[in-house]
Amino acid sequence: MAGFLTNLNKEQYSPYHHVLKPSGSGVVSVTMTPITGVIGSISIYSDSIDDDATITVKDINGTETAGIRVTAGNTLQGPFTSYDVTQVNGAPDISIIGIEREVSIETRVWQKLASETADSPLAGFGFIDGTPDTFKLATFGKFQHITGFLEVDCSVNSGGAGTGITSLADAEITSISAEGLITFQNGTVFANDFVGTIKYKIKKP
Amino acid sequence: MPLPGYPKTINDHSMHILESGQEATAADGNHFVFLQTHGDDSSDWIELHVKMPNSDNPTETKTIKVTSGSAVTGPFTYVRHNSEGASGAGASAQLCWTQVYKLEA
C-alpha cells in the first residue's frame, strides 16, 4: 500500500529562518498558517521605507496583539509564541523574516503507486482529482508541513510534468500548505496514476 | 570592570565588505552570522541574494530587497550584493555597501 514510506533524517536547527515573500502588487492581504514556536524576532525588509507589514503576535503568556504595523527596515523583537502576517504594503518586494530559536525538522518520503488513483489510500488523502489537482499528505498530531520544500520524483507520469524530479521551484507545483495539501499547477501536469515518491519536510511542535 | 566575552583579537571576528555585483561564500561547515547594509541615502535599496542553511530550502538562493541601513541576522552560507537602486523623488546614482560578518573558530 502506498503512503508514508520512510523517515530520511531528523535535523535540529538553531536558529531557523522563516521567509515570507507575499505575491501580488501594492497592498496585499496575506493568508497564512500562523508560525508557532519560540519566535525571537520578526524583521521587515523591502525596497522602500514607506512599505510595511501588519503582524499579529502572541506573547509568552498567550496574549494576542493584532494589527501591529511595522515599517521596512524594522524588527519586532520577541519572544513570541506565534505570529501571523495579515497584510503587506509593498508586495512583491517586501520580505518578512521570522527567526525561531530552535526547530526540529524531519524529512519524510511518501510512496505513490499506480493503483492508487484518487482519494487513496483513504478518502480525502492521496491524489484528489480537480482543477487544479491536489494531493493530501497525512499530518501527524501538531506537526506542521514545511511550506518551502517539496520534491515529487516520478518514474511514471503521463501528465505534462513528465518523469524525474519536480520541485516547488517548478511551475507545475504551486504550493504545499502547512496542513500537507499539495496544489498542482492545473489538472493535467500529474496524471492520477503517476508512480513515484514525494519528499517533504515536517516541523515538530 | 571589564566586560567578559568581548573579542580579544582581530582574528575572533572577520568582516567582508561587498559592493554591487560582489559576493562571498562561506567555507564548508562555516557560515556568516550577520550582515549590515549601508548607503548614502535612506531611500536607497540593495538587492541581496542569500542562502540560508537553517531554512525550508537551504540550497535555494533567496532574493531579499532591503533599504540601506538594514541588518539581517544569519546564518548564511552565501551572500551577494546583487544590485542597488533608489525609490522615491530624487532617485539618483547609489552608493551602497554590504558588510558580511563571520565568526572565526
Side-chain angles (χ1 to χ4, degrees):
Chain A
M1 190 182 85
F4 171 65
L5 182 64
T6 185
N7 272 347
L8 286 184
N9 58 46
K10 182 163 71 176
E11 293 174 309
Q12 204 76 16
Y13 296 91
S14 180
Y16 192 83
H17 282 116
H18 296 278
V19 181
L20 177 68
K21 292 178 68 67
S23 58
S25 62
V27 180
V28 172
S29 294
V30 177
T31 302
M32 61 176 273
T33 301
I35 303 288
T36 57
V38 180
I39 311 297
S41 64
I42 307 153
S43 298
I44 314 301
Y45 302 101
S46 191
D47 60 352
S48 170
I49 53 175
D50 294 330
D51 295 343
D52 69 87
T54 305
I55 301 171
T56 295
V57 297
K58 283 185 182 174
D59 67 23
I60 57 173
N61 296 319
T63 304
E64 183 172 284
T65 303
I68 302 172
R69 294 185 68 163
V70 184
T71 48
N74 287 306
T75 295
L76 202 55
Q77 292 289 350
F80 309 113
T81 57
S82 80
Y83 75 94
D84 186 11
V85 181
T86 57
Q87 181 176 285
V88 296
N89 175 15
D93 291 324
I94 202 161
S95 303
I96 299 119
I97 300 180
I99 296 184
E100 189 169 352
R101 292 189 179 176
E102 189 164 24
V103 170
S104 179
I105 302 281
E106 287 185 15
T107 302
R108 295 185 168 192
V109 175
W110 180 287
Q111 185 179 39
K112 165 72 171 64
L113 302 179
S115 59
E116 299 178 321
T117 52
D119 283 336
S120 191
L122 297 167
F125 281 92
F127 201 103
I128 301 169
D129 282 323
T131 307
D133 292 328
T134 55
F135 196 106
K136 180 69 171 70
L137 298 166
T139 299
F140 303 94
K142 293 182 178 177
F143 281 55
Q144 285 189 325
H145 285 257
I146 294 296
T147 58
F149 177 86
L150 185 75
E151 287 181 358
V152 180
D153 189 357
C154 294
S155 57
V156 177
N157 175 30
S158 60
T163 56
I165 295 176
T166 306
S167 77
L168 263 186
D170 298 307
E172 289 84 358
I173 300 176
T174 301
S175 63
I176 174 172
S177 73
E179 292 76 31
L181 183 68
I182 302 167
T183 301
F184 298 128
Q185 182 182 27
N186 51 42
T188 61
V189 288
F190 288 94
N192 65 11
D193 62 350
F194 85 81
V195 179
T197 55
I198 300 172
K199 188 189 290 185
Y200 61 102
K201 295 182 178 183
I202 55 173
K203 173 190 160 192
K204 295 178 75 173
Chain B
M1 183 174 178
L3 293 174
Y6 193 81
K8 296 178 181 63
T9 75
I10 196 169
N11 295 322
D12 290 340
H13 212 155
S14 67
M15 186 272 293
H16 308 275
I17 294 180
L18 306 178
E19 296 182 56
S20 189
Q22 294 182 331
E23 61 191 17
T25 302
D28 271 354
N30 215 324
H31 65 267
F32 303 116
V33 292
F34 183 75
L35 67 83
Q36 172 74 52
T37 61
H38 302 282
D40 66 344
D41 193 308
S42 61
S43 68
D44 290 348
W45 54 259
I46 298 110
E47 182 181 282
L48 300 169
H49 292 179
V50 298
K51 289 183 181 176
M52 296 171 154
N54 291 8
S55 69
D56 290 0
N57 197 337
T59 58
E60 176 190 44
T61 301
K62 296 178 171 64
T63 299
I64 300 168
K65 278 189 176 177
V66 307
T67 47
S68 65
S70 294
V72 189
T73 303
F76 309 106
T77 51
Y78 170 81
V79 177
R80 177 180 173 83
H81 182 131
N82 190 60
S83 61
E84 55 195 43
S87 59
S92 60
Q94 292 75 49
L95 288 169
C96 296
W97 296 265
T98 300
Q99 290 182 286
V100 181
Y101 289 89
K102 187 176 76 171
L103 284 179
E104 299 296 339

